[in-house]
Amino acid sequence: MCGVTGWLDWETDLRTRGPVVEAMAETLACRGPDASGTWLSRHAAFGHRRLSVIDLEGGAQPLQARETVLTYNGELYNHVDLRRELTGLGHTFRTRSDTEVVLRAHLEWGADAPRRFNGIFAYALWDGTAQELLLVRDHLGIKPLYWHAHATGVLFGSEPKAVLAHPAFRAELDAEGVAELFALPAAPTAGHGLFRGLREVRPGHLVRVRRSVTRESRYWELVSRPHTDDAETTRRTVRELLGDAVERQLMSDVPLCTLLSGGVDSSAITALAARARERAGQSKVSSFSVDFPGSADRAPDAWRTGADAPFVQAAAEHIGTLHTSVVIPDDDLLQARQAVLRARDRPGWGEMDASLHLLFGEVRRRSTVALSGEAADEVFGGYPYFHDPAARAADTFPWLHGRTTPAALLRPEVRAEVRPEEYTAEQYRASLAGTPALPGESGADRRVRELFHLALTRWLPPLLERVDRVSMSVGLEVRVPFCDHRLVEYAWNVPWALKAPDGRPKGLLRDAVRDLLPAEVADRPKSGYPSTPAVRYTQVLTDRAHDLLADPAAPVFDLVDRGLVRRALAEGRTLPSPRTAPNPVGGLDHLVQVDEWLRAYRVGLR
């Protein structure tokens, strides 16, 4: 896994601008600590930072063949099959890397090449003959790629910080960005990069840039078809697809592990990985989990049904992993907040991001690659909102039903310009309109299909963004087998009655992997990523919020109503949180983080 960046300019000779490109690439050093490289031409310049995972000696980037140059971030899980096919078509390979497969696939099939890929990727490709730049992102948007169109060309990078390092781009927030930050942090608009003028290549899309025109087009999308398999065939197919995805994603020339929470999702991935390694005569799987002091005493809620530790232990013992539990104290969380803000380039999920950062840091000490159970709930319908009649019927994003977002704290004049409620409604309607319809589908089934489309296109992206940015901040590559596009395509058309047999959340997945797991893990109810139960973390943030109230120059109050915050704190009320899971500290975290972000990034308001 790597970091990519670059600059296209039709008016500037970029052969003399190497230091700028090197500075852009240097911001991504955490994504690629093993090597760096730049490539310069008259109109296009690329930078690259490498995390070596496949073909450690080869695979240096940017990579060139003929007049085509590639800077690539990702893993192509079917690169061996494609290499064999391309060799049969006359291509000669100099390395074992999947990077060279991507490059030669484009030489053979042009812009149709991504349709053949199975993997996680985001890359830029310059065709010197056609004088054309392609920016490409994987099917589900697992790997990020941001871009900015300026007057004479384009800037791009794996993270906003790479684009921000260019002197022509300024960190600014306009009304749409404020709406994204305060009204829709849990349902971000596809393609929106938060900063004014910054875009993100949308999942399953490519951006084609030529001198006279820039076009974005889709190379992959979900297609609605009748599902004709019976229940047993459906279970067997899910198992086969998931097993194949896991086995492909074990490909690595560096140490690999799994993230194990004790839920059915991560436990299934770990069990399938263990079986595949056993068949290959390899060593036991190493697994990791996160915990906090006092977590066993925390009361359950709608999103957390109990402590993970007993289920983690049961799964690890049953599967036979080499398990490590990473326990994170309060003070470590507080110290990690700034590192996480820099990793994400935007306000995020506070202590949940900090704990993930610390977990990944410990994992990175022993592994370079980790497999995660992320996305199973979006693919198979595991979240509470799939099963709550009121949330399903709500005329908004179902996870926002009955919730107050941080937009409630905006100053009156800011609210008038941002129109957060209207913006949310507009985005919701646009998302619904994009749902692939199945002719003749009934109202109830149609609504469930809409919920899955919302989950995959508006709920999942911020989760994937969070995992990518926090993991890559410590040089850890996280793979997500449930995002294999073949599995997603198949599950998309499975009727709700088969996905949730007898009303059981994720019943299809549970039944497909039941033989791999202890019963208490296979049937464990959904339990979200843990947040800390610590009192000290909350108190420190409360103190920081009071410090902000006492600071007449605090930039957050250019957006937020100081009086509303003061009254809420005086009355002991929690502030509206950007998170959907119940958490009394989420709103405080958001307030303090927005202020820290505005200061650290010198964000201008437009």
Side-chain angles (χ1 to χ4, degrees), residues 205-367:
H205 282 69
L206 60 84
V207 177
R208 188 191 302 261
V209 184
R210 292 189 174 182
R211 182 183 290 268
S212 58
V213 64
T214 297
R215 290 199 180 100
E216 187 171 12
S217 59
R218 187 193 302 268
Y219 70 83
W220 178 83
E221 62 184 328
L222 291 167
V223 177
S224 294
R225 302 185 180 92
H227 183 79
T228 58
D229 291 345
D230 61 22
E232 176 56 34
T233 302
T234 300
R235 284 193 295 272
R236 186 172 62 251
T237 303
V238 165
R239 172 66 171 269
E240 291 172 352
L241 287 170
L242 182 59
D244 184 67
V246 169
E247 188 161 5
R248 286 176 181 270
Q249 295 186 31
L250 292 175
M251 169 189 68
S252 176
D253 292 339
V254 293
L256 177 147
C257 67
T258 68
L259 305 175
L260 180 61
S261 70
V264 64
D265 312 335
S266 63
S267 299
I269 296 299
T270 301
L272 287 166
R275 287 202 172 187
R277 289 177 67 92
E278 184 179 7
R279 287 195 301 271
Q282 297 172 336
S283 61
K284 289 186 176 182
V285 170
S286 294
S287 58
F288 291 83
S289 63
V290 66
D291 204 354
F292 304 96
S295 62
D297 301 326
R298 184 175 179 182
D301 56 44
W303 287 78
R304 289 284 300 162
T305 56
D308 287 343
F311 298 95
V312 169
Q313 182 178 355
E317 290 178 353
H318 185 89
I319 298 167
T321 72
L322 303 174
H323 187 74
T324 301
S325 176
V326 179
V327 180
I328 299 173
D330 271 16
D331 287 345
D332 289 1
L333 285 173
L334 290 165
Q335 292 170 11
R337 294 182 78 258
Q338 288 302 312
V340 169
L341 182 63
R342 285 294 185 180
R344 297 197 65 175
D345 291 327
R346 61 171 294 162
W349 294 1
E351 47 87 12
M352 294 177 68
D353 288 347
S355 66
L356 195 67
H357 172 79
L358 293 167
L359 167 64
F360 286 162
E362 287 300 313
V363 172
R364 183 62 175 89
R365 293 175 185 272
R366 281 162 277 188
S367 291

Side-chain angles (χ1 to χ4, degrees), residues 443-524:
D445 289 339
R446 167 69 179 177
R447 180 55 180 167
V448 170
R449 190 177 294 275
E450 290 175 345
L451 293 180
F452 273 98
H453 187 259
L454 293 172
L456 290 167
T457 62
R458 299 302 291 256
W459 174 274
L460 180 59
L463 301 184
L464 295 176
E465 186 266 350
R466 170 181 179 249
V467 170
D468 172 84
R469 301 292 287 283
V470 177
S471 65
M472 293 308 298
S473 72
V474 298
L476 176 71
E477 176 185 316
V478 174
R479 299 176 178 175
V480 279
F482 282 108
C483 282
D484 185 296
H485 71 277
R486 301 166 303 161
L487 176 63
V488 175
E489 288 171 348
Y490 184 79
W492 168 253
N493 286 306
V494 175
W496 181 243
L498 291 182
K499 280 179 180 162
D502 303 318
R504 292 180 293 125
K506 289 189 296 191
L508 170 58
L509 174 62
R510 297 178 192 278
D511 292 344
V513 299
R514 185 170 298 279
D515 63 303
L516 299 172
L517 307 173
E520 64 268 32
V521 172
D523 292 321
R524 184 189 181 191

